[in-house]
Amino acid sequence: MVELGLIRAAQSGDRDALITLLRDIEQHVYRTAYYILNNEQDALDAAQEALIRIYTRIDSYEEKAKFKTWVQRIVTNICIDKFRRTKPTVSIDEHEFNFEDKQDVEHIVLSSYVAEDIREAINQLPEHHRNVIVLRYLQELSYNEISECLDLPLNTVKSYLFRARQQLQSILQEYQKGGVSG
């Protein structure tokens, strides 16, 4: 994700290093927030809050855990707190498609529908299942990193992932049959 020298420079008070570090991780932080909260504005707010927390607490990062895991824990905790404070709302995003002549338009449109179905299916999962799915498959954290990030035993993470995959499979099968509408 980021090099250790940059982290150490930021911790030693190098403001430029800290700004570079924050810029390097901001998309990663936003993406996690968006997939957990499923709302662009909430995700932007949570990402901003996470970046501020990282900015103010960079000194507390210890190299015992990977930096990526430390960052994920911060953004995930902020999203969980935000999710608990507000009732979830359904967001209908407008999509703009820009097609080039040589692109397979049908494939692009179908891919966007599949992505939307997957996003909706993930949002139907209970919070604890949604969090492990986002961290495992969208942020590509290992089981151990998820365990550290969410402060859960490793076997609990594995169990949550197993159950979440089963639930997603069931939900997506219903989408294929046309039996579920968002």
Side-chain angles (χ1 to χ4, degrees):
M1 182 180 205
V2 293
E3 60 183 76
L4 191 55
L6 186 61
I7 297 167
R8 288 180 179 159
Q11 287 180 314
S12 68
D14 183 339
R15 188 173 185 274
D16 291 335
L18 183 55
I19 290 170
T20 300
L21 179 67
L22 293 173
R23 284 189 179 139
D24 286 351
I25 64 172
E26 70 182 330
Q27 286 294 347
H28 177 74
V29 167
Y30 169 77
R31 189 172 52 237
T32 299
Y34 182 79
Y35 278 101
I36 291 174
L37 298 170
N38 192 40
N39 178 293
E40 184 176 359
Q41 192 58 50
D42 289 343
L44 288 169
D45 291 345
Q48 181 178 12
E49 188 176 336
L51 291 170
I52 290 169
R53 192 168 297 171
I54 292 163
Y55 177 86
T56 59
R57 297 184 183 171
I58 190 70
D59 293 342
S60 69
Y61 169 68
E62 298 175 1
E63 294 175 24
K64 290 186 249 178
K66 289 183 180 178
F67 185 71
K68 180 179 181 179
T69 305
W70 184 74
V71 168
Q72 282 299 327
R73 184 176 206 150
I74 290 171
V75 70
T76 302
N77 287 340
I78 287 170
C79 288
I80 289 169
D81 290 345
K82 190 171 197 51
F83 194 76
R84 287 179 181 152
R85 284 191 306 255
T86 61
K87 293 183 179 180
T89 59
V90 176
S91 166
I92 300 174
D93 298 328
E94 292 184 28
H95 299 283
E96 289 185 28
F97 296 103
N98 297 317
F99 301 113
E100 294 178 15
D101 293 335
K102 296 180 181 179
Q103 290 181 319
D104 179 1
V105 174
E106 182 179 358
H107 175 73
I108 292 169
V109 171
L110 289 176
S111 294
S112 71
Y113 286 127
V114 169
E116 184 62 29
D117 286 350
I118 291 171
R119 188 173 16 260
E120 287 179 19
I122 290 171
N123 287 329
Q124 290 182 34
L125 296 175
E127 180 182 325
H128 57 284
H129 288 170
R130 182 176 51 252
N131 291 340
V132 294
I133 288 290
V134 167
L135 294 175
R136 178 69 179 143
Y137 296 106
L138 301 174
Q139 298 303 333
E140 299 176 350
L141 294 184
S142 70
Y143 291 169
N144 287 330
E145 290 171 327
I146 296 169
S147 173
E148 288 178 37
C149 183
L150 297 177
D151 198 24
L152 293 171
L154 183 59
N155 285 336
T156 302
V157 169
K158 290 178 181 179
S159 173
Y160 283 179
L161 278 168
F162 177 78
R163 289 186 189 123
R165 284 191 297 260
Q166 285 181 321
Q167 289 174 316
L168 280 175
Q169 184 177 14
S170 174
I171 293 167
L172 291 171
Q173 284 175 346
E174 289 298 319
Y175 277 128
Q176 284 181 331
K177 293 177 188 174
V180 175
S181 60

